[in-house]
């Protein structure tokens, strides 16, 4: 039976070329859509790694502050005490421009045994940093006062970086080279991954370093964790306090909940637009497939009538036409899968191979369902052709 069907398809290869092309294009588009959706879904299901609710970010211009280290320490110590004295503030920490959901990024390279690991996100830990974010350690410890007295600088890395460097081994107690591989840094802890770029993006490589006095010169953000009763009135008083503290400086107060929504929208909106465009394309392809099959049935009315006249049932005729469509789809999918499988093999866009493999399976299933749906009704119409009428037309 299949040999006969392949012979029929081969004899009509020029007529089937359009059908094959539409299936191939549809598969590639659906594969791209499912790759994005699978990638975002896998990241979305992973833990966030920190708490962003009730966290506010205060940004300011520190250009007007003194550059003297001792004076800066006194200034920021007094500022921190004043903020913590407010009943609505539970924790205060100072931060550089790089913190979750911010539009800034500070990265470096780390070295281990001659191998370089690029694009390591650097976060600076100041007092109460853990209290503000509620970060979760999975191994080792957090920073303590003794870390500032050691010869080798202490750092904390995230789970993703630990896996990239040490595989399944433990990173605690190991030494890493800095970006020039000159100074050694000791890993004292491993923290749970934090998705700092939104719910739909991976954590990436990250490390935390202890803040020192030199960091105060570049501090332009204060992160605070507020209580449940912190409202707009308190925000107004906080803004006035910061304005009086930082003369001639522009003060901004942002809520991490709003910053998170903005980050997620940057991902979701283009994906929705892309999905809608792909949906319209698939509808047009489905209509095209339906039209091609309808046209082929009308061209083969005499063939169908002859088959019915020699004893073929209507279900057999319908089954044959659906089989032909699925075989054509299989031929197109074989070509499409050849191109799709190159993505995980070549590690395109540095995306996990599982994303492409799942997307490929979903795209194949979707195309088969699409072709089956488009072939089902024309196949039923072909089964309804009366042999006497078809042969009389001949």
């Amino acid at each position: 039976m299949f040999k006969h069907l392949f012979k029929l398809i081969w004899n009509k290869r020029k007529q089937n070329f359009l059908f094959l092309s539409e299936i191939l294009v549809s598969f590639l588009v659906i594969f791209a859509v499912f790759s994005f959706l699978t990638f975002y879904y896998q990241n979305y299901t992973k833990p966030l790694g920190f708490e962003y609710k009730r966290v506010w970010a205060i940004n300011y211009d520190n250009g007007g502050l003194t550059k003297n280290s001792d004076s800066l320490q006194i200034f920021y110590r007094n500022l921190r005490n004043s903020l913590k004295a407010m009943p609505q503030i539970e924790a205060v920490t100072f931060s550089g421009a790089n913190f979750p959901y911010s539009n800034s990024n500070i990265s470096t390279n780390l070295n281990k045994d001659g191998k370089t690991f690029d694009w390591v996100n650097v976060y600076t830990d100041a007092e109460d940093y853990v209290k503000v974010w509620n970060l979760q350690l999975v191994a080792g410890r957090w920073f303590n006062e003794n870390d500032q007295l050691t010869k080798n600088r202490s750092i904390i890395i995230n789970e993703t970086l630990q896996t990239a460097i040490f595989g399944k081994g433990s990173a605690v107690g190991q030494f890493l080279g800095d970006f020039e591989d000159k100074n050694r840094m000791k890993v004292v802890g491993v923290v749970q991954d934090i998705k700092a770029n939104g719910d739909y993006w991976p954590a990436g490589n990250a490390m935390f370093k202890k803040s020192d006095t030199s960091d105060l010169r570049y501090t332009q953000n204060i992160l605070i964790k507020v209580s449940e009763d912190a409202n707009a009135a308190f925000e107004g008083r906080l803004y006035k306090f910061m304005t009086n503290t930082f003369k001639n400086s522009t003060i901004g107060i942002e809520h991490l909940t709003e910053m998170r929504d903005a980050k997620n929208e940057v991902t979701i909106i283009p994906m929705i637009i892309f999905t809608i465009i792909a949906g319209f394309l698939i509808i047009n392809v489905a209509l095209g497939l339906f039209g091609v099959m309808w046209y082929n049935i009308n061209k083969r009315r005499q063939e169908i009538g002859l088959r019915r006249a020699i004893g073929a049932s209507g279900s057999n005729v319908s089954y044959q036409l659906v089989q032909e469509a699925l075989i054509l789809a299989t031929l197109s999918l074989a070509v499409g899968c050849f191109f799709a499988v190159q993505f995980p093999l070549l590690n395109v866009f540095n995306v996990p191979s599982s994303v492409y493999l799942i997307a490929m399976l979903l795209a194949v299933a979707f195309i088969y369902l699409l072709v089956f749906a488009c072939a089902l009704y024309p196949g039923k119409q072909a089964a309804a052709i009366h042999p006497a009428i078809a042969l009389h037309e001949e």
Side-chain angles (χ1 to χ4, degrees):
M1 180 64 180
F2 284 103
K3 182 179 179 181
H4 174 69
L5 291 176
F6 275 108
K7 186 175 181 179
L8 289 174
I9 291 172
W10 177 255
N11 291 336
K12 293 179 169 47
R13 55 187 179 276
K14 291 184 179 180
Q15 299 176 15
N16 292 326
F17 180 76
L18 178 61
F19 186 95
L20 293 170
S21 301
E22 289 182 336
I23 293 297
L24 178 59
V25 172
S26 299
F27 170 78
L28 295 177
V29 172
I30 293 300
F31 171 71
V33 172
F34 278 129
S35 295
F36 279 113
L37 294 178
T38 303
F39 176 73
Y40 290 146
Y41 177 76
Q42 286 187 352
N43 293 323
Y44 181 78
T45 56
K46 294 178 181 178
L48 190 60
F50 66 99
E51 293 182 4
Y52 64 92
K53 296 181 179 178
R54 298 190 289 116
V55 176
W56 295 1
I58 308 171
N59 56 78
Y60 55 91
D61 179 13
N62 65 355
L65 298 178
T66 177
K67 301 302 180 182
N68 181 271
S69 297
D70 294 334
S71 299
L72 280 176
Q73 288 187 65
I74 296 173
F75 172 82
Y76 277 111
R77 186 186 305 117
N78 293 335
L79 174 60
R80 184 175 181 276
N81 292 335
S82 298
L83 289 172
K84 290 198 70 174
M86 298 180 182
Q88 290 86 357
I89 296 180
E90 298 178 355
V92 179
T93 189
F94 300 109
S95 173
N98 187 26
F99 59 90
Y101 304 143
S102 68
N103 292 320
S104 299
N105 182 274
I106 300 175
S107 62
T108 187
N109 302 334
L110 294 179
N111 291 273
K112 175 65 175 176
D113 298 331
K115 186 177 181 181
T116 301
F117 298 87
D118 301 320
W119 302 109
V120 179
N121 219 349
V122 181
Y123 298 97
T124 302
D125 168 81
E127 192 173 355
D128 280 354
Y129 195 86
V130 177
K131 292 182 181 180
V132 170
W133 296 117
N134 193 23
L135 302 177
Q136 302 298 317
L137 280 171
V138 296
R141 60 172 176 82
W142 201 256
F143 298 113
N144 57 37
E145 296 299 328
N146 295 328
D147 290 321
Q148 295 180 338
L149 306 176
T150 58
K151 176 182 177 182
N152 301 108
R153 185 169 195 169
S154 299
I155 62 171
I156 296 173
I157 64 176
N158 69 341
E159 293 175 293
T160 297
L161 185 56
Q162 175 181 241
T163 302
I165 300 177
F166 302 100
K168 295 182 179 180
S170 174
V172 178
Q174 300 289 335
F175 288 88
L176 300 175
D178 60 8
F179 66 99
E180 293 182 339
D181 203 14
K182 293 182 179 179
N183 301 310
R184 314 307 291 173
M185 298 180 292
K186 183 179 180 180
V187 179
V188 298
V190 179
V191 72
Q192 187 180 40
D193 286 340
I194 61 172
K195 296 190 293 186
N197 292 317
D199 297 349
Y200 303 97
W201 289 95
N205 297 328
M207 61 168 281
F208 298 80
K209 65 182 183 69
K210 185 69 175 177
S211 174
D212 55 33
T213 55
S214 63
D215 292 318
L216 294 178
R217 298 180 181 180
Y218 310 103
T219 299
Q220 293 183 324
N221 295 274
I222 303 173
L223 303 173
I224 62 174
K225 190 160 192 176
V226 299
S227 59
E228 296 283 354
D229 60 346
N231 51 24
F234 166 71
E235 185 173 348
R237 293 195 301 270
L238 177 63
Y239 180 84
K240 184 177 181 180
F241 169 78
M242 294 298 299
T243 302
N244 293 331
T245 302
F246 293 89
K247 303 294 184 180
N248 302 320
S249 175
T250 302
I251 305 297
I253 300 178
E254 298 180 279
H255 297 195
L256 266 292
T257 52
E258 297 174 357
M259 296 175 67
R260 169 181 174 267
D261 292 340
K263 276 287 186 181
N264 288 337
E265 286 176 1
V266 172
T267 302
I268 293 174
I269 293 177
M271 190 67 251
I272 292 176
I273 295 174
F274 182 40
T275 303
I276 292 174
I277 294 174
F280 279 114
L281 176 62
I282 296 304
I283 292 174
N284 289 330
V285 169
L287 293 175
L289 296 178
F290 187 85
V292 168
M293 295 205 62
W294 189 271
Y295 173 77
N296 289 338
I297 288 173
N298 288 329
K299 294 284 290 184
R300 299 170 62 182
R301 287 179 63 86
Q302 292 79 21
E303 174 194 336
I304 295 171
L306 181 61
R307 288 201 62 205
R308 292 295 308 278
I310 60 178
S313 64
S315 60
N316 288 336
V317 172
S318 177
Y319 182 64
Q320 175 189 336
L321 294 174
V322 172
Q323 272 190 320
E324 288 182 18
L326 293 177
I327 291 174
L328 286 170
T330 302
L331 295 176
S332 288
L333 290 175
V335 177
C337 288
F338 170 79
F339 290 105
V341 79
Q342 305 305 314
F343 284 79
L345 292 178
L346 300 176
N347 194 25
V348 179
F349 303 123
N350 198 27
V351 172
S353 298
S354 60
V355 170
Y356 293 125
L357 296 177
I358 293 173
M360 188 163 55
L361 293 176
L362 292 174
V364 168
F366 183 89
I367 291 298
Y368 273 128
L369 289 175
L370 178 66
V371 172
F372 179 78
C374 292
L376 192 60
Y377 182 73
K380 289 184 177 180
Q381 291 297 105
I385 295 177
H386 197 279
I389 296 177
L391 292 176
H392 178 72
E393 292 176 354
E394 178 66 17

